[in-house]
């Protein structure tokens, strides 16, 4: 069963899940040469779009997620649950699967 989503804003992550969108790699070199799509490798950097309320620990207390919407993070090369809305691709990861938070 597939669901046609009109907007990514219709998705609210549950528990400790984090909705991210991969940052697209530059298709142009510093010298101004445009690279073909097959030559541009996928980055492990993503922008956090939405965050669930957090998971529960053994005592039933809520554990706050380590990221917030707008943060940039490093994500694993593989994994996550892919979501496609129109031509855009997004992924859902658990908070503990994120590798690092990028400070700029």
């Amino acid at each position: 069963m597939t669901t046609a989503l009109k907007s990514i804003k219709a998705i609210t992550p549950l528990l400790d899940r984090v909705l991210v969108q991969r940052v697209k790699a530059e298709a142009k070199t510093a010298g101004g040469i445009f690279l073909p799509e097959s030559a541009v490798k996928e980055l492990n950097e993503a922008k956090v779009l939405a965050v669930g309320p957090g998971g529960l620990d053994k005592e039933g207390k809520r554990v706050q997620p380590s990221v917030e919407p707008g943060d940039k993070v490093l994500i694993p090369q593989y994994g996550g649950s892919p979501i496609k809305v129109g031509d855009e691709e997004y992924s859902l990861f658990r908070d503990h699967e994120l590798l690092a938070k990028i400070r700029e």
Side-chain angles (χ1 to χ4, degrees), residues 26 28-33 35:
E26 285 288 326
K28 186 176 168 185
T29 65
I33 298 171
L35 300 172

Side-chain angles (χ1 to χ4, degrees), residues 1 3-4 9 20-22 34 41 43 55 59 62 64 70-71 73 79 93-94 100:
M1 180 170 125
T3 305
K9 294 180 181 182
V20 300
Q21 183 177 25
R22 282 188 190 266
F34 285 97
K41 90 175 195 182
L43 295 177
E59 288 94 39
R62 183 119 0 235
Q64 292 296 321
D71 287 347
V73 294
F93 286 94
R94 289 191 174 267

Side-chain angles (χ1 to χ4, degrees), residues 49-77:
L49 301 177
V51 180
L56 301 174
D57 64 8
K58 291 181 181 179
E59 288 94 39
K61 295 180 183 174
R62 183 119 0 235
V63 177
Q64 292 296 321
S66 58
V67 294
E68 298 174 354
D71 287 347
K72 285 192 175 180
V73 294
L74 287 179
I75 57 175
Q77 183 76 23

